[in-house]
Amino acid sequence: MEIIHLSAECYPVAKVGGLGDVVGALPKYQNKLGHVAKVVMPAYNTKFLHENDFEVVYDGWVRLGSTNYQARIFREKTNKLGFDLFLVHIAGLFDRDGVYGYGDDTERFLAFQITALDWMAQWEHRPDVIHVHDHHTGLIPFMLGNCFQYRHLNQIPTVLTIHNAQYQGQFGWDKLHYLPAFDLIHTSKLDWGNAINPLAAAIKCAWRVTTVSPSYLEEISYAANGLESLLSQERGKSVGILNGIDVEVWNPLRDSMLGKNYNSRTIESGKRANKEELCRVFNLDVEKPLFTFIGRLVGEKGADLLPDIFYNVLQQSDGEINILVLGSGDPHVEDRLNEITYHYQGKYNAYIGYNEQLSHKIYAGADFLLMPSRVEPCGLNQMYALRYGTIPIVRRIGGLKDTVIDIGDGGFGICHDQSSVWDVSYSIGRAYALYKDQKKVKEIKKYIMSLDHSWDKAAQAYIDLYQM
Ligand code: ADP
Ligand code: GLC
């Protein structure tokens, strides 16, 4: 099958969070299964663009209202990611460093989607499936099915994967004229809550809808930032497929970002060496358990709770634990997390920012990883932690519920039910008690490293879905 993935992120070209990891891995695993999966994404001004060789495969214009933008598509020449990669360059819209967060994101992602379709409309053949990811590519199923200029493509099946229903990309009806012409009888397919809602439009128009874990599919029927009734209505065409991880990129034995590589046989010395490096750099005590948080500092991740949790447990534990945070996001949370450093030197530290290499070092060097998420459609961090022998402490929600079993239930992690300072502090207390039983901890670490979360199974599950 020929599968075209359209996405705003793809690791290592551009990554903000897990969407990038998924789109950087799933197509590679689908190709390994004998299919031809390709990725089409915007050409941001990133290092990848400047350090690789490309050829131009499309040269044209895209019109939004009264503005014409020059649009080009580049193909990476060497297939170095394990799939064909196409970057859509739109002059004035994507020649910037960041992925999201600009005032004209609506225009940027609309121009990207229209250009990608204009290009595919010229192909002599049709791909078997078009797979769109999140709201940034959510208008594609609508445009394929309804816009006059893509009429000849309207039999291509479309799949939408919802990575996060919190973000929907809504914009006002005053921008309707940006879309290529279609019969206005179909406008209701774009509407949700009196706005054009790309995620809602994709849920309505895609042939199939997937969520990134089975539990998240259950949860969005009652918590989906306003889309609950729509998702319940479209439940018949929806399925939850748990994400995998790229076990080539995330392999403690081969990971070139680590100070010391290890496998389950050498886990004790390997993790110890990585912990020593972290503790040296961040002024922490290697003899004490190291708790960590890695992620976007936003409400969904429970990041606003972290400062109070940390003050609480640092005080209660009487200096017997270490905490290290890596993240960026809400400036207020960033400030509070920085502030703790002054009060608990030698026991706590924070790196505010995005640092891919440091994240790998932390998964390897930490003892416990905290994920107090309010919303977690899948979560990849806990799976990386497991692979690196770090015990996850998670709230039972979404993909966390599907991947982590509490030690009290015969499992290997520590779970709680609420995203609250009290629940997370209590879990940290349980982890501290567990840490004192080093024999048990060693057994768990060895066991979690052997769990298989690779993409093999999920890549096939998507193929089965496309075949339907
Ligand atoms: P989300 O996509 O909601 O942010 P995921 O758990 O799916 O959550 O994926 C997060 C990804 O982003 C992981 O690869 C994680 O290691 C990475 N990440 C998050 N914040 C940072 C950061 N500050 N520095 C480096 N990597 C980060
Ligand atoms: C989203 C979700 C996260 C998920 C990721 C990849 O960013 O917030 O839970 O793991 O997408 O699917």
Side-chain angles (χ1 to χ4, degrees), residues 196-464:
I196 297 177
N197 183 314
L199 188 64
I203 294 166
K204 293 179 197 181
C205 300
W207 292 29
R208 287 289 186 277
V209 174
T210 76
T211 60
V212 288
S213 71
S215 287
Y216 189 56
L217 182 61
E218 300 295 322
E219 289 161 12
I220 51 179
S221 60
Y222 55 84
N225 203 8
L227 296 183
E228 300 78 9
S229 58
L230 175 61
L231 285 156
S232 301
Q233 187 178 317
E234 299 292 357
R235 181 64 194 260
K237 67 175 187 190
S238 310
V239 52
I241 300 178
L242 186 70
N243 282 337
I245 60 171
D246 188 330
V247 292
E248 289 167 10
V249 174
W250 297 92
N251 178 358
L253 190 59
R254 304 251 173 273
D255 189 335
S256 59
M257 300 193 204
L258 301 188
K260 174 132 178 119
N261 292 110
Y262 58 95
N263 60 16
S264 57
R265 273 189 307 106
T266 53
I267 182 171
E268 288 308 317
S269 57
K271 278 188 80 70
R272 173 82 186 188
N274 285 291
K275 185 174 177 183
E276 278 168 359
E277 182 188 339
L278 282 179
C279 289
R280 197 172 49 247
V281 173
F282 289 99
N283 183 30
L284 299 168
D285 184 346
V286 72
E287 299 308 331
K288 295 177 180 158
L290 177 57
F291 292 82
T292 183
F293 172 93
I294 299 173
R296 296 182 291 120
L297 300 175
V298 296
E300 280 163 71
K301 301 284 177 194
D304 50 306
L305 303 171
L306 292 174
D308 290 338
I309 293 168
F310 294 157
Y311 277 120
N312 199 18
V313 296
L314 282 163
Q315 196 182 4
Q316 281 183 7
S317 70
D318 213 12
E320 286 308 306
I321 62 171
N322 292 302
I323 298 171
L324 178 59
V325 178
L326 166 62
S328 63
D330 180 344
H332 176 66
V333 176
E334 291 182 351
D335 288 348
R336 287 200 68 202
L337 287 170
N338 265 332
E339 214 177 86
I340 308 176
T341 318
Y342 302 108
H343 302 289
Y344 286 97
Q345 279 191 14
K347 297 176 183 120
Y348 170 94
N349 217 331
Y351 180 106
I352 301 299
Y354 187 92
N355 187 326
E356 188 73 27
Q357 177 168 24
L358 180 57
S359 75
H360 287 239
K361 287 180 185 289
I362 297 179
Y363 289 118
D367 296 296
F368 298 98
L369 176 91
L370 294 165
M371 294 186 76
S373 307
R374 290 195 178 87
V375 181
E376 198 60 85
C378 178
L380 300 173
N381 297 18
Q382 79 280 14
M383 294 194 255
Y384 298 146
L386 293 169
R387 180 134 170 95
Y388 283 64
T390 296
I391 299 173
I393 301 178
V394 307
R395 174 171 179 222
R396 280 190 195 91
I397 185 116
L400 298 175
K401 193 166 146 186
D402 295 342
T403 49
V404 182
I405 304 170
D406 192 272
I407 41 172
D409 299 324
F412 45 82
I414 294 180
C415 307
H416 48 263
D417 287 316
Q418 304 299 326
S419 228
S420 73
V421 173
W422 191 87
D423 281 64
V424 183
S425 304
Y426 184 75
S427 284
I428 294 176
R430 286 183 65 204
Y432 179 58
L434 171 68
Y435 188 80
K436 289 187 184 151
D437 183 352
Q438 274 300 308
K439 187 165 165 274
K440 177 95 181 145
V441 170
K442 281 180 191 164
E443 260 169 43
I444 295 177
K445 285 182 175 169
K446 235 186 174 103
Y447 173 72
I448 58 184
M449 277 192 79
S450 73
L451 293 171
D452 179 10
H453 280 293
S454 112
W455 267 107
D456 293 321
K457 217 163 64 190
Q460 184 59 47
Y462 279 109
I463 301 291
D464 296 344

Side-chain angles (χ1 to χ4, degrees), residues 58-116:
Y58 174 83
D59 197 350
W61 294 87
V62 57
R63 188 184 174 86
L64 293 185
S66 60
T67 315
N68 271 310
Y69 299 92
Q70 190 179 28
R72 282 208 178 118
I73 301 183
F74 306 124
R75 188 180 80 89
E76 191 273 316
K77 278 183 174 168
T78 63
N79 201 284
K80 71 186 290 186
L81 302 184
F83 49 81
D84 273 340
L85 170 73
F86 298 92
L87 303 183
V88 178
H89 180 266
I90 298 170
L93 293 180
F94 284 110
D95 31 18
R96 310 176 194 176
D97 298 346
V99 174
Y100 313 117
Y102 298 101
D104 56 355
D105 278 356
T106 295
E107 285 75 8
R108 295 169 76 228
F109 288 103
L110 247 174
F112 161 62
Q113 295 174 81
I114 295 170
T115 304

